Amino acid sequence: MTRRSAIHILMGLLVVTMVAFALFNAAQNFQSQGRSFGFDAFEQSAGFPISETLPLPGFEYTPESSYWAALAMGFLNTLKISLVSLVFALALGTGVGLARLSRFPEVRGSATAYVSLVRSVPLLLQLVLIYVLILQAFPVVASSFKWIHYAVDEDGISLYAAYLNNRGLFVAVPKIDWTLLWSGSLSVSWDAPLPTFGGRNLRGGLHLSPEYLALFLGLGIYSSSFIAEIVRGSLQAIDSGQREAARALGMTEFQTLRYVVFPQAWKIMVPPLTSQFLSLTKNSSLGVAVGYPELVSVGGTILNQTGKSFEVITIWMTVYLSLSLLISFLMNRKPRPRTGSPHAPQATAPTRLS
Amino acid sequence: MMVRVGFYLLAGLLLVVSFPIFRWLFVDAVFWPVTPEACLTPEGDPVAGACWPAVMDTLQLLLVGRYPAEHLWRVGAALGVVMTAAVFLWFTSRQNKKTFGTKLSIVSLIDLLALGLSGTLIVGHPLLGLVTVEPALWGGLLLTVVLSVVTLGLGSVLGLVLALGRMSPLALPRWLATIFIETVRGVPLITVLFFALYVFPLLLPAGASTLSEFSKAALALVLFEAAYFAEVFRSGLSAVPQGQHEAAKALGLTAFQRLRFVALPQALKISLPTLIATTVGLVKDTALVSVIGMFDLLGAARNVPSIPTWLGKDLEPLIFAALFYLVLSLALDRLAKRFEHRRPSAL
């Protein structure tokens, strides 16, 4: 026992010394460089616009808003892109994962090639590639890809419901006036993209910028390859007897999957899928490379403007850590089944998937 | 049947989309001569196809960055040393795959020697008659490989230490290791890079010599990857059957001997596929240093369109870089497959 306490004391002293040394140096450096540690400066107005902000009821971001508001917008953008990309990645990943187990060799081969390719190239490179492709390979607004012709305006220009060009994707969306619901009538008007400047630009409708599209597609495709492997592994882990019994009962392949194999595989899938969701949320920080104003991007701008690196980095780490802990905690709270099924592994499982 | 139909429809769609891509990449593309005018039509407009001279002309940048041309032979020599060591090890391991664990010490020694020699060749030292080439001049594929190797070496060792700390019966090492691992795994690599760049220098004495950007990036990568390696080692170590530890204890082996001769060899064999997967992830993660302004393979590729001669040629260098990462990753995956166990599956 004495050896243990000796190690403890020694290690404790070492750690305390190192921390004190670091703090001392920090204080010295702060003083000599004329810096101060504090979040008061964050109350000042940001002075920069944010190209994409989530419309919140009762709040509109302007360059006069405080740095805190800017950070909040960045955080909301992070959440938005993470959730949306996750849905896309889950859908695509499940499809590819099932394709990997198909009895048709061409389907299997293509899915395997897809997974190998996507997993081998860094996410950052994929993001930049997609972004450059959208900016350079997509047509200018005047010659966009157009769908669903619905009217002709007074200048004789045809109007469409959806446009795809190098400024992004523009889609007409319905605007429902909820206040008229009480009077029994439902007023649906359309917020549609309309050509401006003689057809060289568009305004209105739901606008998905190239930055958003690049991040959405890049994150979605990259994560889908890992999700495909997770889905495949979980489905393969179910004993083949289950499938054989289901088929013997007369179920089709699809019914076997839907009612027998998949529900059992789901339990195995959830922890690694949670890890993948965490990974995706952290990877959204690469939005800074394509110009999407998520948390790291906005924080980076603030860092450059105010020079308060300590504070900004602290905020980043706190936010991401809290997100990670929250998500893992929520996923690990699954109730234990009353029958003696095996306990599902923790969501922060040792295997690294990204 | 439906699956087949759906698949061929999708394949058809992809084929239609890939025709113009193929045409741009190869048919309409310009391959030579390697002059700035090669990619312009007689009227002075840019050519409709890919401009591969942009890659050929900047090949040195993409492969070695701004490494002085007169010293490039050293990079070639370093590569030669590493390849010789790799081939030698491959031959010796073919004979006895079963004694993988015990041969580890000789393998590591040769590895270290080869790495040390090639590293010295690349960096250089006046005492050996080689001019020092600062890390700031390294770039392109060279920088990616050096960063990967350094991160792998230091990160795996630190990861092992952290894993042992996390599994320690003593409270303090366990707490420190756990806090470090969970914190680092919970944040994106970019924030760790920014931390190393902006916060870490503030924690050092004011009079200390300033660290190079390379060192800061390497520090961030090592710390980040160590946390992930720690988890892999931890799961590998806990997968070793308890009976092994008990038998070793009964034989009178000390804790260190138990670790070195019983637990670690088995743990490494179990976790080898995951370790290689983590290594592949590590190589891909080095690409992030391009965000903090370093010119690794991806950074150099993104920089090419800024060169006045090749303005606007974004895609060609990016495709080139992507191919390199593909080759690297697939090679490592191949290596992993040699050690993977096959399991009977349900579907």
Side-chain angles (χ1 to χ4, degrees):
Chain A
M1 273 321 188
T2 333
R3 214 184 91 183
R4 278 201 180 188
S5 352
I7 295 180
H8 263 127
I9 294 173
L10 261 158
M11 197 178 261
L13 275 173
L14 193 69
V15 170
V16 168
T17 318
M18 278 170 51
V19 171
F21 183 59
L23 285 175
F24 174 72
N25 288 326
Q28 289 250 310
N29 287 323
F30 267 51
Q31 198 174 37
S32 61
Q33 292 175 23
R35 292 163 172 260
S36 59
F37 182 87
F39 291 94
D40 321 310
F42 282 48
E43 316 263 325
Q44 296 167 20
S45 80
F48 62 88
I50 296 182
S51 54
E52 312 197 32
T53 56
L54 266 185
L56 289 177
F59 180 76
E60 172 96 32
Y61 177 82
T62 68
E64 275 80 46
S65 313
S66 68
Y67 283 124
W68 287 119
L71 284 169
M73 288 293 125
F75 175 63
L76 285 173
N77 279 333
T78 297
L79 285 181
K80 176 170 99 172
I81 195 83
S82 304
L83 282 169
V84 168
S85 304
L86 178 71
V87 169
F88 175 51
L90 277 174
L92 185 58
T94 313
V96 175
L98 287 170
R100 278 268 265 153
L101 298 167
S102 166
R103 49 207 160 104
F104 305 118
E106 61 264 29
V107 179
R108 237 182 9 246
S110 322
T112 312
Y114 171 86
V115 170
S116 298
L117 229 86
V118 173
R119 280 202 322 187
S120 307
V121 181
L123 173 59
L124 183 56
L125 203 154
Q126 294 186 35
L127 281 176
V128 173
L129 239 154
I130 296 176
Y131 187 56
V132 164
L133 266 171
I134 294 180
L135 288 181
Q136 290 193 351
F138 280 24
V140 275
V141 180
S143 31
S144 326
F145 297 119
K146 304 184 261 259
W147 294 284
I148 314 177
H149 175 54
Y150 64 91
V152 179
D153 76 355
E154 59 252 11
D155 295 324
I157 305 178
S158 305
L159 301 175
Y160 293 81
Y163 296 81
L164 183 63
N165 48 59
N166 67 356
R167 284 184 193 252
L169 180 67
F170 297 82
V171 185
V173 284
K175 266 193 327 215
I176 304 177
D177 199 355
W178 298 104
T179 57
L180 293 181
L181 209 57
W182 313 131
S183 50
S185 63
L186 198 61
S187 154
V188 179
S189 62
W190 287 87
D191 184 13
L194 298 166
T196 57
F197 295 114
R200 285 198 293 274
N201 202 353
L202 288 167
R203 179 186 302 197
L206 174 67
H207 176 209
L208 300 176
S209 66
E211 294 79 23
Y212 179 91
L213 283 174
L215 198 56
F216 168 72
L217 286 172
L219 278 176
I221 292 176
Y222 189 75
S223 298
S224 74
S225 66
F226 293 95
I227 292 177
E229 285 301 281
I230 294 171
V231 167
R232 178 189 67 89
S234 316
L235 288 172
Q236 279 184 317
I238 305 298
D239 188 68
S240 55
Q242 297 283 313
R243 183 182 157 269
E244 288 166 11
R247 294 286 281 157
L249 285 171
M251 289 180 162
T252 65
E253 279 290 348
F254 180 69
Q255 286 171 326
T256 320
L257 236 120
R258 171 139 187 243
Y259 296 110
V260 177
V261 182
F262 209 87
Q264 296 184 62
W266 175 249
K267 255 199 325 230
I268 307 180
M269 266 195 263
V270 171
L273 280 181
T274 315
S275 291
Q276 208 38 240
F277 179 34
L278 282 172
S279 234
L280 191 148
T281 311
K282 289 185 288 173
N283 282 336
S284 72
S285 59
L286 292 177
V288 67
V290 293
Y292 182 74
E294 42 75 50
L295 186 61
V296 173
S297 189
V298 170
T301 312
I302 298 180
L303 201 156
N304 278 324
Q305 278 191 352
T306 63
K308 292 203 155 290
S309 51
F310 231 96
E311 292 83 343
V312 170
I313 292 175
T314 310
I315 292 177
W316 278 339
M317 294 195 149
T318 316
V319 169
Y320 280 107
L321 255 180
S322 316
L323 265 176
S324 301
L325 290 175
L326 183 73
I327 294 173
S328 328
F329 177 70
L330 282 175
M331 284 301 131
N332 284 336
R333 260 184 74 246
K334 292 171 63 63
R336 289 270 200 121
R338 268 160 300 154
T339 58
S341 335
H343 169 54
Q346 295 280 297
T348 50
T351 43
R352 167 142 175 249
L353 290 169
S354 91
Chain B
M1 179 44 60
M2 282 287 293
V3 174
R4 258 211 159 116
V5 166
F7 173 76
Y8 281 116
L9 271 172
L10 191 66
L13 196 74
L14 280 172
L15 216 68
V16 164
V17 170
S18 57
F19 265 151
I21 297 177
F22 186 78
R23 207 174 52 207
W24 182 84
L25 273 176
F26 299 110
V27 178
D28 291 336
V30 177
F31 288 92
W32 71 90
V34 184
T35 61
E37 305 84 39
C39 294
L40 299 171
T41 62
E43 291 86 29
D45 305 316
V47 174
C51 177
W52 294 114
V55 170
M56 320 257 224
D57 190 40
T58 52
L59 207 58
Q60 185 177 345
L61 256 179
L62 289 167
L63 290 179
V64 291
R66 291 178 299 151
Y67 204 92
E70 64 266 24
H71 300 303
L72 269 180
W73 63 269
R74 284 156 45 178
V75 176
L79 190 66
V81 165
V82 170
M83 302 233 67
T84 319
V87 166
F88 175 73
L89 289 172
W90 188 59
F91 270 128
T92 51
S93 76
R94 294 262 283 188
Q95 296 156 3
N96 30 31
K97 241 168 38 175
K98 285 206 178 100
T99 52
F100 170 77
T102 54
K103 286 267 185 237
L104 209 56
S105 40
I106 306 177
V107 165
S108 345
L109 208 62
I110 297 182
D111 273 338
L112 284 171
L113 272 173
L115 281 174
L117 189 57
S118 50
T120 322
L121 275 170
I122 294 177
V123 173
H125 203 281
L127 283 177
L128 301 161
L130 301 167
V131 176
T132 310
V133 179
E134 300 162 14
L137 294 172
W138 302 349
L141 185 61
L142 171 67
L143 184 60
T144 298
V145 169
V146 170
L147 268 176
S148 305
V149 169
V150 168
T151 310
L152 177 61
L154 294 174
S156 54
V157 168
L158 181 61
L160 184 59
V161 169
L162 284 169
L164 294 172
R166 190 162 185 181
M167 297 172 73
S168 162
L170 304 172
L172 189 60
R174 201 172 56 238
W175 271 95
L176 289 174
T178 310
I179 291 176
F180 179 85
I181 293 173
E182 292 304 318
T183 307
V184 173
R185 270 170 38 117
V187 295
L189 177 53
I190 276 210
T191 48
V192 182
L193 275 170
F194 271 99
F195 175 86
L197 212 58
Y198 291 107
V199 175
F200 190 70
L202 291 174
L203 302 176
L204 292 177
S209 54
T210 46
L211 295 165
S212 67
E213 208 178 30
F214 173 82
S215 316
K216 290 184 239 180
L219 176 74
L221 279 167
V222 166
L223 289 177
F224 187 75
E225 298 296 334
Y228 287 88
F229 272 116
E231 287 299 278
V232 178
F233 284 129
R234 188 166 75 97
S235 78
L237 280 169
S238 27
V240 174
Q242 185 64 13
Q244 297 282 316
H245 290 107
E246 289 168 3
K249 258 196 234 176
L251 285 172
L253 298 176
T254 68
F256 179 71
Q257 287 169 328
R258 285 203 301 272
L259 191 67
R260 162 111 202 271
F261 296 111
V262 177
L264 261 185
Q266 296 186 62
L268 282 177
K269 198 143 80 118
I270 293 172
S271 49
L272 200 59
T274 320
L275 280 174
I276 298 190
T278 311
T279 308
V280 173
L282 188 161
V283 173
K284 292 188 295 177
D285 283 342
T286 60
L288 258 80
V289 299
S290 62
V291 177
I292 56 171
M294 288 180 76
F295 294 105
D296 71 316
L297 182 56
L298 178 57
R302 288 178 78 183
N303 191 41
V304 167
S306 317
I307 302 173
T309 338
W310 307 114
L311 208 60
K313 306 279 178 267
D314 296 86
L315 283 169
E316 293 86 343
L318 282 176
I319 296 173
F320 178 79
L323 280 173
F324 258 102
Y325 280 111
L326 244 173
V327 167
L328 272 170
S329 299
L330 289 178
L332 282 169
D333 276 338
R334 260 301 182 83
L335 188 66
K337 288 231 162 26
R338 294 186 71 205
F339 297 106
E340 203 173 273
H341 303 292
R342 299 215 167 268
R343 310 173 295 214
S345 56
L347 291 165

